[in-house]
Amino acid sequence: MLDVRRLRLLVELSRRGTLAAVAEALSYSPSSVSQQLSLLEREAGVPLLVQVGRRVQLTPQALVLVEHGKAVLDRLEEAEAEVARSLTSVAGTVRIAVFQSAAHAVMPQALTLLADAHPGLRVEVTEREPEAGLFEVAARDFDLVVAEQYPGYARPRHPELDRVPLASDAIRLAVPTNTREERPAEPDASRDPNVALAATAGRPWVMEPAGTASRVWAEQLCRAAGFEPDVRFETADLMAHIRLISSGNAVGLLPDLLWADEGPSVLLAPLPGDPHREVFSSARHAAAGRPAVVAVRDALARAAARTGPPRNGHDATAAHA
């Protein structure tokens, strides 16, 4: 009989690539992981790993076991979900990975709803970039991820994960409410969005780090408007984006979800094509029916539905009408 815990180590090795990465993810020492996989080889009666340089590589027989191991782990998770559905209350722990603006706009209200409806449910929230969060849910580090997808940018699909839409989030050009005298005037949002965006050519920009989905999309948008953005500030912290823009030091692109029904502190103007990013949640198919996961998703959907577009702030469209 093959040991399920050792099978999981083999599955994790196929996902993460190195013994050190498996050890770090599961709080083992690398030597313990190696010993357990050696025991699994004895149980299976075939070699599972071969040394290639300083790394190990899975044998064809190991790959067969990986597929069966995934199925076994899924069946165990489905069994746990079915047992949980037989109970009359929602309890346990749900671990959520969430990107920054959703953590700011949606999570606080969702947590309040869950505390009222399911006081026995523990929710643990960790900020993660969407790419990392999706991988870590597939790898069972988290139970649920709230992620985003920008227009025309398809994230890698994980076949073991589902996808449930949460919100369609508008993205707008954000400029300071006031400018210093030596700087050119801000774009007039009552004009064509293409003209408003093109008017920022030569201005300092703040964007997320190179290689991120939002950065790739933002640069392509600027290039389509006929200029290369002068990116002087790079940060994944959208609160820093707001401060740089509102202080007059940069312009940028900000999603509506960031304001969470608060009045924006910057001028917001429409962008060409009225772009929206998709905000969605993903869980493993095997865990999606677990009552705790269902309850969290319901709370997230209700919280997202209550989050409207920016109001009572410096909306550039109204300001220049």
Side-chain angles (χ1 to χ4, degrees), residues 251-268:
V251 298
L253 305 177
L254 294 176
D256 280 0
L257 198 61
L258 192 62
W259 306 107
D261 288 324
E262 299 172 2
S265 57
V266 298
L267 289 170
L268 297 174

Side-chain angles (χ1 to χ4, degrees), residues 25-98:
L26 300 183
S27 300
Y28 284 88
S29 68
S31 60
S32 294
V33 174
S34 180
Q35 290 168 6
Q36 291 299 311
L37 289 174
S38 294
L39 290 172
L40 183 63
E41 281 189 322
R42 285 189 224 164
E43 291 173 351
V46 293
L48 299 178
L49 306 176
V50 292
Q51 196 76 32
V52 180
R54 300 180 64 181
R55 299 168 67 97
V56 294
Q57 184 173 308
L58 274 64
T59 65
Q61 293 74 29
L63 294 175
V64 171
L65 276 185
V66 164
E67 292 307 308
H68 284 285
K70 289 178 180 178
V72 167
L73 293 171
D74 283 347
R75 288 291 293 171
L76 288 173
E77 202 160 22
E78 289 166 2
E80 290 173 352
E82 190 166 342
V83 169
R85 284 196 297 272
S86 71
L87 303 175
T88 57
S89 62
V90 176
T93 299
V94 177
R95 301 158 300 167
I96 307 175
V98 60

Side-chain angles (χ1 to χ4, degrees), residues 95-173:
R95 301 158 300 167
I96 307 175
V98 60
F99 67 96
Q100 188 190 45
S101 51
H104 171 77
V106 178
M107 284 309 309
Q109 194 169 91
L111 291 171
T112 299
L113 292 169
L114 287 167
D116 291 341
H118 307 292
L121 179 62
R122 176 185 173 90
V123 180
E124 299 175 356
V125 181
T126 302
E127 187 177 314
R128 281 287 192 274
E129 289 298 309
E131 210 77 69
L134 288 162
F135 173 83
E136 289 170 323
V137 170
R140 292 181 168 81
D141 294 342
F142 292 95
D143 302 301
L144 191 67
V145 59
V146 179
E148 61 179 355
Q149 182 163 303
Y150 276 79
Y153 184 94
R155 294 194 178 279
R157 288 279 183 169
H158 296 271
E160 57 267 72
L161 301 185
D162 66 6
R163 179 177 292 204
V164 175
L166 267 180
S168 180
D169 190 26
I171 308 166
R172 304 179 196 271
L173 174 64

Side-chain angles (χ1 to χ4, degrees), residues 133-316:
L134 288 162
F135 173 83
E136 289 170 323
V137 170
R140 292 181 168 81
D141 294 342
F142 292 95
D143 302 301
L144 191 67
V145 59
V146 179
E148 61 179 355
Q149 182 163 303
Y150 276 79
Y153 184 94
R155 294 194 178 279
R157 288 279 183 169
H158 296 271
E160 57 267 72
L161 301 185
D162 66 6
R163 179 177 292 204
V164 175
L166 267 180
S168 180
D169 190 26
I171 308 166
R172 304 179 196 271
L173 174 64
V175 298
T177 57
N178 297 302
T179 58
R180 299 168 185 166
E181 291 183 3
E182 68 269 18
R183 292 192 174 183
E186 296 302 336
D188 183 347
S190 65
R191 294 183 294 177
D192 182 278
N194 290 284
V195 176
L197 179 59
T200 65
R203 297 295 306 276
W205 275 77
V206 57
M207 288 188 179
E208 295 194 46
T212 59
S214 59
R215 174 67 172 269
V216 171
W217 177 81
E219 288 177 333
Q220 292 296 327
L221 190 73
C222 292
R223 289 165 188 161
F227 70 96
E228 188 70 22
D230 178 10
V231 182
R232 299 190 196 178
F233 311 102
E234 282 191 6
T235 174
D237 185 352
L238 294 185
M239 300 299 123
H241 286 225
I242 292 173
R243 288 188 175 275
L244 285 165
I245 297 168
S246 63
S247 63
N249 288 293
V251 298
L253 305 177
L254 294 176
D256 280 0
L257 198 61
L258 192 62
W259 306 107
D261 288 324
E262 299 172 2
S265 57
V266 298
L267 289 170
L268 297 174
L271 287 167
D274 187 27
H276 286 62
R277 64 176 179 173
E278 179 194 356
V279 180
F280 62 93
S281 69
S282 283
R284 293 180 298 281
H285 292 292
R290 185 176 150 209
V293 172
V294 172
V296 170
R297 278 183 148 167
D298 177 66
L300 287 169
R302 289 162 63 193
R306 295 181 186 180
T307 303
R311 56 188 175 85
N312 301 324
H314 302 283
D315 189 318

